[in-house]
Amino acid sequence: MTTERATSIKEFKIVDSTLREGEQFAGARFTTKDKIKIAKALDAFGVEYIELSSPMSSPISFQDHIILVDLGLKATLVPHLRCAREDIDKALATGVKSINMMFATSPVLQQYSHGKNMDYIVRQAADMTKYIKDKGLEVRFSGEDAFRSNLEDLDRVFAAVIEAGADRIGIPDTVGRSTPFEVYEVFRHFREIFPNVDIEFHCHNDTGCAVANAWAALEAGCTHIDVTVLGIGERNGITPLGGLIARMYAIDKGLVKKYKLKKLRELDELVAKMVGFPIPFNNYITSPTAFHHRAGIHTNALLKSASSYEIFDLDDFGVTRKIDVAHRLIGKNAIKARAAQLKLDLDEAELHEITWEIKTMSDQELLTDDYVDNLLTEAAQKNGRNPNLPVK
Ligand code: HCA
Ligand code: CU
């Protein structure tokens, strides 16, 4: 079976929201120094946008935005605001050049969050968009909880903000309920009716679809994807930066060559440390077990060509694989490769015997790499063909 399929995706931009959505994560409380470190690391990685919390959040938030603007980063800093003039004025005072605004459009949030109807939302969104455009800034308007909003309501509010000059519309899946096919259809719809604006997608990961949904949105013509480092955010978070990179790299390396991929690990480690959680074992690319191989059949093929069981070129990410030899699923070829790494001369019969010794012992207890290395070294000492080792 060949699944090679030409992708329609030519280009996309990343809006990293670690300093906004990420601040809503259970373990996050970024200090000014933390924010500077994260912003610089994201900039070095090459994300196009860095979303910031609202400058209205707290006195320090406002001060921090000024400090971050003064860093003069390549990435565009974009505070996340309500559709309110006081929020916009506060953001303008920090010197940012771009604004992300949102207003909840779903019936459930109209009722339980802000209590305003669609007429009010459309008027306010358009007025505030125009207000920002008149000041010469870039503006995105997003209908919060879009995937539980009525399509006609979204058509209407987006048409109004585009008419008022919006550069980009945002279609977030606020509660992470959408499926890739649904996302594809919704983005096709808006791509067709608004062909000349950029479209941003922000996807929560409540049902584990955030990466697949981001990809589906891009295939349908979305231009900007929101991510956070490690996917941190409200509840269980949003599309992770590493997950999006892994997804796109596996489709076409060229799509992510503009980013400094080797810096991904540093970023993941930095944020993991700050929020007080280890990098999850199933994290993309940077987890300590992401390229951990065990089964004999796999390691045998892998030793001939890494492409047999890996879809990434590990050098592109500066990470390494681990071939685990200390367990009962091991095969002789992996033991042979380990002996070669240790520069030990052992024949096929000796390697066969050691492999079975490992399998038998592993039935009794958890083995370590040292245990295997000792077995190999002892056998090499005994056979007398390893002059550099003292004979036992
Ligand atoms: C929020 C909700 C939000 C907004 C996303 C957006 C969401 O925390 O304010 O502005 O597009 O998930 O809908 O993060
Ligand atoms: Cu969100």
Side-chain angles (χ1 to χ4, degrees), residues 20-21 24 80 102 140 142 144-145 172 174 202 204 226:
R20 197 284 292 175
E21 177 76 47
Q24 297 168 217
H80 188 251
M102 55 107 203
R140 180 219 73 177
S142 178
E144 188 191 356
D145 205 12
T174 305
H202 173 103
H204 278 263
D226 287 15

Side-chain angles (χ1 to χ4, degrees), residues 105-109 145-150 172-175 177:
T105 44
S106 65
V108 61
L109 293 186
D145 205 12
F147 279 80
R148 292 191 299 174
S149 302
N150 297 317
D173 181 4
T174 305
V175 291
R177 60 158 292 281

